[in-house]
Amino acid sequence: MKILGIESSCDECAAAVVEDGRRILSSVVATQIPFHAVYNGVVPEIASRKHTEWIYGVVKEALDKAGIGPDEVEGLAATAHPGLLGSLLVGLSFAKAFAWARSLPFIAVNHMLAHLYASRLLGDNPEPASSVPANRAEVPYPFLGLLVSGGHSIICRVDDFDDITVLGTTIDDAVGEAFDKVSKYYGFGYPGGAVIDKLAQSGNPDAFRFPLPKLDKGGNRYALSYSGLKTAVINQLEQFRCKLAAPACLEFGNSAVTELPNSTAGAIEIARREGADIAASFQKTAVEILLRSLFRAAEDTGLKTIVAGGGVAANSYLRARLAEQRELRCIFPPPDLCGDNGAMIAGIGYRYLSRGDRSPLSVTASARVGGFRRRYP
Ligand code: KG4
Ligand code: ZN
C-alpha cells in the first residue's frame, strides 16, 4: 500500500511516498531555514505562507521521485498536531482535499509518535550495512522512547506504534529549544542544534561547568529541565564578550595606537576557541540531563532497548554517549530522518490505515501534543 505523507508542522515543507509502512519510495523536504535565519528563529506567519506557496510543488516532486501518479496513491496521512497552527493547517488541508477528491482513506497523525516511528523506515538510498542495526526496523515492543525535538522532550514506555506511556517530560524548556536559544544569544547561527553540534567538535566539553537540575526526588525521577542550564550558559555570555573585546580595547585605550591592532585577530581567535568550549560544555550538560533521567527509567522499568527520535536525536554527542552503553541497545533513525520529514508521517499513517482507522475530513489541527493513547501512569 503506497501512502503519501505530508508534514508541515513547523518550518519544513515535506512530502513522501512510503510503501507498506517501511520502504521509502521518495522523501522531499523543502526547508525554510534561509527565510527564518535572519530572525534567529521560526516566524509563524512566514512559515505558513511558505507552506502555502510550496506545498503543491513538494507533493508533485514526491510523486515524481516515487515514479507514481496521483492515481497510484492508496492513502493519505498528514500531521495534525502538535505544531504551529497556521503551518499545520496547510499540509492537513492539502491532504484532506487530495483524499476527498480521489475518495482515498485519510488519517491525521501525531507528529511526536511519527518521530518515534522514523527508526522503522528503510531509506531509498541504502545505508551502509555497518550503520543499520540488523533489525532496526523490527525492534520488538515494549521499549523506552526518547523523543527530543525543538518543542518537546519526552521519555516514555512504548508498547505499540500508537501506545505510549509518558514517564517524564520537561518541566520548562525543550532540549532542542535550549540548543536554539544558546546559539541565538552567542550568535553561533541558526538552527542552533546542528551548529552547536559542529562547533562543539573542536571544543573542550570540560572547559565550563554548568549546573545540572536536581530532579531525582519523588515523582520527578524522569523529569527534565533546561531553563537553568540555558540561563547559566547565557549568563556566561558577558564574560565571553569581555574576552572578545578586552585585548582590542586595551590597545585602543593607549593613545599611541591609531590602527586596529594585531591583537584583534588574536581576540577573535580566543573568542572562537572559547565559543567552541562553551558549545561543547553546554552540549555535554544538555545530554547529561537527558541521560540521567533516561538511565533511571531504564533501571526502573527493566527495559534495555531505547529508540530515539526527533531533531535532537541527530546529535553526534548524544549518539556517541548512548553507543558506549554496553547493557543498553540504542536505536536511532538515520540523521536525515531525525528532523521533520514526510516519510515518518506516511510510515505511521500506513499502520493506522492498514488496520482500518480513518480520520473524518472535519478533523482539524491543534498546537498541543495530546492524542497519546496512554499518558502519565
Ligand atoms: O524534530 P525537529 O526537526 O522539529 C520539531 O519537531 O521541533 O527538531 C528540531 C530541533 C531544533 O531545536 C534543532 O536545533 C534540533 O532539533 N537539532 C539538533 C541537531 N539537529 C537538529 N539538536 C542537537 N544536535 C543536532 N545535531
Ligand atoms: Zn519534529
Side-chain angles (χ1 to χ4, degrees):
M1 191 179 190
K2 294 188 184 78
I3 306 296
L4 172 62
I6 297 181
E7 155 61 38
S8 69
S9 65
C10 192
D11 60 342
E12 316 285 13
C13 188
V17 179
V18 173
E19 188 161 32
D20 296 338
R22 281 281 148 80
R23 173 76 44 201
I24 301 174
L25 302 183
S26 68
S27 180
V28 177
V29 180
T31 181
Q32 301 178 2
I33 287 174
F35 298 93
H36 302 285
V38 281
Y39 303 100
N40 273 312
V42 177
V43 181
E45 178 65 21
I46 294 176
S48 50
R49 279 169 189 257
K50 287 289 153 205
H51 285 307
T52 310
E53 285 169 28
W54 293 356
I55 189 77
Y56 174 80
V58 166
V59 168
K60 172 92 173 59
E61 194 178 330
L63 295 180
D64 289 350
K65 284 195 169 152
I68 63 170
D71 49 335
E72 287 163 88
V73 174
E74 292 163 277
L76 268 294
T79 307
H81 60 107
L84 302 171
L85 267 187
S87 293
L88 284 165
L89 283 168
V90 178
L92 186 66
S93 302
F94 193 98
K96 288 200 285 187
F98 195 125
W100 179 75
R102 297 193 162 264
S103 305
L104 290 171
F106 164 74
I107 192 84
V109 307
N110 180 312
H111 181 83
M112 298 313 291
L113 288 181
H115 269 308
L116 195 54
Y117 189 84
S119 66
R120 304 203 161 238
L121 296 164
L122 300 172
D124 43 353
N125 298 317
E127 301 159 56
S130 59
S131 74
V132 189
N135 49 1
R136 171 163 65 69
E138 314 276 351
V139 183
Y141 297 104
F143 51 74
L144 276 182
L146 177 66
L147 279 171
V148 277
S149 71
H152 298 89
S153 313
I154 298 168
I155 293 172
C156 52
R157 177 191 161 101
V158 186
D159 285 282
D160 205 341
F161 74 90
D162 64 338
D163 186 1
I164 78 167
T165 306
V166 177
L167 301 174
T169 185
T170 180
I171 58 167
D172 39 55
D173 300 336
V175 55
E177 187 187 343
F179 272 88
D180 294 336
K181 289 277 157 56
V182 165
S183 186
K184 173 179 172 174
Y185 278 94
Y186 278 84
F188 291 152
Y190 171 87
V195 172
I196 288 183
D197 192 348
K198 190 150 177 250
L199 189 59
Q201 279 162 23
S202 57
N204 173 7
D206 299 314
F208 296 89
R209 186 167 287 189
F210 294 122
L212 287 164
K214 293 189 174 38
L215 291 165
D216 53 345
K217 301 282 178 317
N220 271 339
R221 277 179 69 72
Y222 323 116
L224 304 162
S225 165
Y226 282 95
S227 73
L229 171 63
K230 187 183 75 180
T231 308
V233 178
I234 290 172
N235 283 344
Q236 192 72 34
L237 183 59
E238 275 315 306
Q239 289 182 39
F240 178 73
R241 280 210 191 103
C242 291
K243 286 235 171 83
L244 175 65
C249 296
L250 284 175
E251 297 277 349
F252 273 121
N254 175 348
S255 55
V257 178
T258 51
E259 285 191 356
L260 201 65
N262 283 342
S263 56
T264 301
I268 289 169
E269 178 51 25
I270 291 170
R272 198 200 56 73
R273 261 190 281 127
E274 191 158 312
D277 287 349
I278 283 171
S281 305
F282 158 73
Q283 178 177 264
K284 181 181 175 189
T285 316
V287 167
E288 203 62 54
I289 293 171
L290 278 183
L291 296 184
R292 281 192 325 169
S293 293
L294 185 65
F295 293 161
R296 269 187 222 125
E299 204 176 311
D300 294 354
T301 59
L303 296 172
K304 300 288 177 218
T305 301
I306 293 163
V307 175
V312 184
N315 185 265
S316 59
Y317 181 74
L318 172 66
R319 293 168 92 104
R321 286 289 303 277
L322 280 172
E324 286 167 6
Q325 299 302 312
R326 292 282 157 256
E327 303 88 68
L328 298 175
R329 186 161 160 249
C330 301
I331 314 284
F332 285 89
D336 60 328
L337 292 178
C338 288
D340 294 346
N341 64 83
M344 65 185 192
I345 306 301
I348 195 168
Y350 167 80
R351 297 282 145 196
Y352 288 109
L353 293 173
S354 61
R355 76 174 183 200
D357 291 4
R358 304 285 184 268
S359 295
L361 291 182
S362 57
V363 69
T364 191
S366 158
R368 291 173 170 273
V369 67
F372 294 149
R373 252 188 28 189
R374 283 203 261 148
R375 317 194 86 218
Y376 296 89

